[in-house]
Amino acid sequence: MAAAAVPIGRSVSVKVPATSANLGPGFDTLGLALSLYDELEVTTRHEPGATVTVTGVGAGEVPTDASNLVVQAIAFTFDRYGVELPGLFLLANNRIPHGRGMGSSGAAIVAGVMAAKGLLEGIVELDSHALLSIATDMEGHPDNVAPALFGGLTIAWTSESGPQHKKLIVHRGVTPLVCVPEATMSTALARSLRPESVPHEDAIFNVSRSALLIAALIQSPELLLAATEDRLHQNYRASAMPDTTSLVEELRAQGLAAVVSGAGPSILVLCSDPAQRLAAAEIVAAHEGTPWQSLMLAVDFKGATVILHPAEASA
């Protein structure tokens, strides 16, 4: 039996947080949701295809038709469940910087998957495992999509039954600062700079720091500096983003837990209190070279949300 069609005129609103992946030692495993959001409205229509209106980040740059990543994620989800995709009108208000290591592509995929969840309400029910599985299939790695979907600090891994996650609540004293440069960084390029294998002692080093980082983030923020040491990926990528490397080193020399955010070139500073974050922002402002925008964010604990709006009488 064919799946029921989605009603024409059905409309949903979606909100998705930015993320920072890796957090230093937790390469491809740890991610943190941050209080900076892309917002999306999607409405079904009779006319086939998709029309996308973008405001904010990416306006005039990202595709505004069916090749848009959000539309692709909606279509991918519908196809997964054998439901015919109706015509779509999307209004996207983007705030997450693109190409800066803050999970913009993961957020776009999650926005599409969540929009599909709302549009398919009453036809197909998507639980948390299905949402993570679909988003990971599109993104390739669960470490960015997991925190975007579920919020907080997430540990992501893959088992025989697919991608898995564990959400943890971050200590209230942890105060994030994200430093965003004008330059962008290709995730593919960043990944290409990492070697296929690393020394045994470096692997052990990162295992210990990753375990310590969980403790620091949920219980003991005073351990954040030691817990964010890394030998698996940041040093190998340093030559591709010298300004990022220089500022990370300067911040860490001042006792601040600074790491490359995702694939970079943005920097995440995990401060143990608001006063430390202000001190970090002052160091960033005085740093010579490339200007940086300092974003004083909170940890997002909710993750992505979707609201299905009541149908219009004329729909």
Side-chain angles (χ1 to χ4, degrees):
M1 180 182 295
V6 174
I8 300 302
R10 177 168 278 194
S11 181
V12 297
S13 296
V14 176
K15 186 176 181 180
V16 183
T19 57
S20 183
N22 302 329
L23 311 183
F27 185 70
D28 277 1
T29 301
L30 301 180
L32 189 67
L34 301 168
S35 61
L36 183 67
Y37 303 93
D38 282 353
E39 296 182 276
L40 176 72
E41 293 185 10
V42 183
T43 304
T44 60
R45 66 184 187 187
H46 285 289
E47 181 184 353
T51 303
V52 185
T53 298
V54 180
T55 61
V57 177
E61 299 174 0
V62 300
T64 56
D65 56 15
S67 65
N68 182 281
L69 186 56
V70 177
V71 179
Q72 290 184 48
I74 297 173
F76 187 86
T77 307
F78 271 63
D79 183 67
R80 174 70 65 91
Y81 293 99
V83 181
E84 183 179 356
L85 184 69
L88 300 171
F89 174 73
L90 290 81
L91 177 59
N93 182 16
N94 297 336
R95 299 184 182 89
I96 303 172
H98 290 179
R100 303 301 203 287
M102 295 185 68
S104 61
S105 62
I109 290 168
V110 167
V113 174
M114 292 296 290
K117 172 183 168 66
L119 294 173
L120 291 167
E121 186 169 311
I123 300 169
V124 175
E125 297 303 320
L126 281 73
D127 60 16
S128 60
H129 180 75
L131 293 171
L132 181 60
S133 176
I134 295 167
T136 302
D137 283 350
M138 285 200 69
E139 169 70 7
H141 299 274
D143 56 321
N144 259 323
V145 295
L149 280 168
F150 308 117
L153 168 67
T154 56
I155 307 170
W157 71 98
T158 302
S159 69
E160 292 181 356
S161 57
Q164 311 290 332
H165 85 286
K166 174 63 180 177
K167 175 182 175 179
L168 299 171
I169 301 301
V170 177
H171 190 284
R172 62 186 298 178
V174 175
T175 313
L177 175 72
V178 179
C179 313
V180 184
E182 294 179 359
T184 61
M185 180 71 182
S186 161
T187 300
L189 172 60
R191 285 192 169 275
S192 71
L193 298 172
R194 187 176 58 87
E196 290 297 321
S197 61
V198 297
H200 185 258
E201 59 268 26
D202 288 352
I204 293 173
F205 182 95
N206 268 60
V207 168
S208 69
R209 296 311 189 274
S210 294
L212 183 60
L213 182 54
I214 299 300
L217 284 169
I218 68 175
Q219 182 177 341
S220 306
E222 71 276 5
L223 297 174
L224 281 167
L225 181 61
T228 49
E229 293 178 310
D230 161 66
R231 292 183 183 175
L232 285 190
H233 65 103
Q234 291 180 119
N235 290 342
Y236 298 108
R237 298 169 170 180
S239 62
M241 39 185 151
D243 291 335
T244 295
T245 301
S246 173
L247 184 51
V248 167
E249 291 175 348
E250 182 176 347
L251 288 163
R252 294 190 68 85
Q254 296 297 319
L256 296 160
V259 298
V260 177
S261 180
S266 293
I267 295 169
L268 172 69
V269 190
L270 293 168
C271 303
S272 57
D273 58 57
Q276 190 181 62
R277 181 167 70 174
L278 287 174
E282 290 177 358
I283 292 172
V284 173
H287 182 73
E288 295 183 358
T290 303
W292 296 79
Q293 179 186 14
S294 290
L295 303 177
M296 296 191 180
L297 304 176
V299 175
D300 170 89
F301 294 105
K302 186 178 290 188
T305 59
V306 59
I307 298 172
L308 173 62
H309 299 293
E312 296 291 339
S314 60

